[in-house]
Amino acid sequence: MENFKKRFCYRLKLFPRYFESDNWTDDDKNIVSLHFQYLKDLTEKGIVFLAGRTVNEPMGDDDFGIVILETDTFEEANSIMKDDPSVKGKIMHAKLYEFSLALLRK
């Protein structure tokens, strides 16, 4: 019998100071690069199912990113979210949810 993973998603939102591109430092940009590489590595390991963000310029309070994970437990998903470089680096704040996939295009 196959072991099915649970799905969780975390929503990422920029802290408001980052809505303006002039407020980004080189260190901030580096943290976002690390965030992308972190998610890419987790995708290659089969943990990240999907990751993306809304696209508006300038970015505002309604914009967000989403990461859908497949893990065994909420605690594992929570640990992944908290280890995200964008969260650790205080570029973005995140909230974790259990996620139920209803439809998926073939």
Side-chain angles (χ1 to χ4, degrees):
M1 186 166 180
E2 206 171 328
N3 181 19
F4 290 99
K5 303 271 185 183
K6 294 180 181 179
R7 287 200 178 104
F8 301 91
C9 72
Y10 63 96
R11 182 194 67 215
L12 291 157
K13 295 193 79 163
L14 284 173
F15 283 102
R17 77 164 266 200
Y18 296 107
F19 294 164
E20 296 294 327
S21 60
D22 291 343
N23 292 336
W24 287 79
T25 67
D26 288 341
D27 285 343
D28 297 332
K29 292 173 187 174
N30 184 53
I31 289 170
V32 173
S33 292
L34 293 171
H35 156 76
F36 181 81
Q37 188 60 51
Y38 177 74
L39 295 180
K40 185 176 181 229
D41 291 346
L42 290 172
T43 301
E44 290 169 0
K45 291 177 182 175
I47 296 169
V48 167
F49 181 77
L50 174 147
R53 71 174 185 92
T54 58
V55 181
N56 291 304
E57 292 298 331
M59 293 191 69
D61 195 47
D62 288 338
D63 292 295
F64 63 93
I66 189 168
V67 179
I68 299 176
L69 307 168
E70 293 180 320
T71 65
D72 290 319
T73 65
F74 181 90
E75 291 76 20
E76 182 183 358
N78 194 47
S79 178
I80 289 167
M81 178 188 73
K82 287 182 175 181
D83 284 340
D84 185 317
S86 69
V87 175
K88 287 173 82 171
K90 307 241 186 280
I91 304 292
M92 301 177 203
H93 55 97
K95 184 170 181 183
L96 185 65
Y97 304 87
E98 191 158 356
F99 186 80
S100 175
L101 182 65
L103 298 171
L104 180 65
R105 184 180 73 200
K106 288 185 179 185

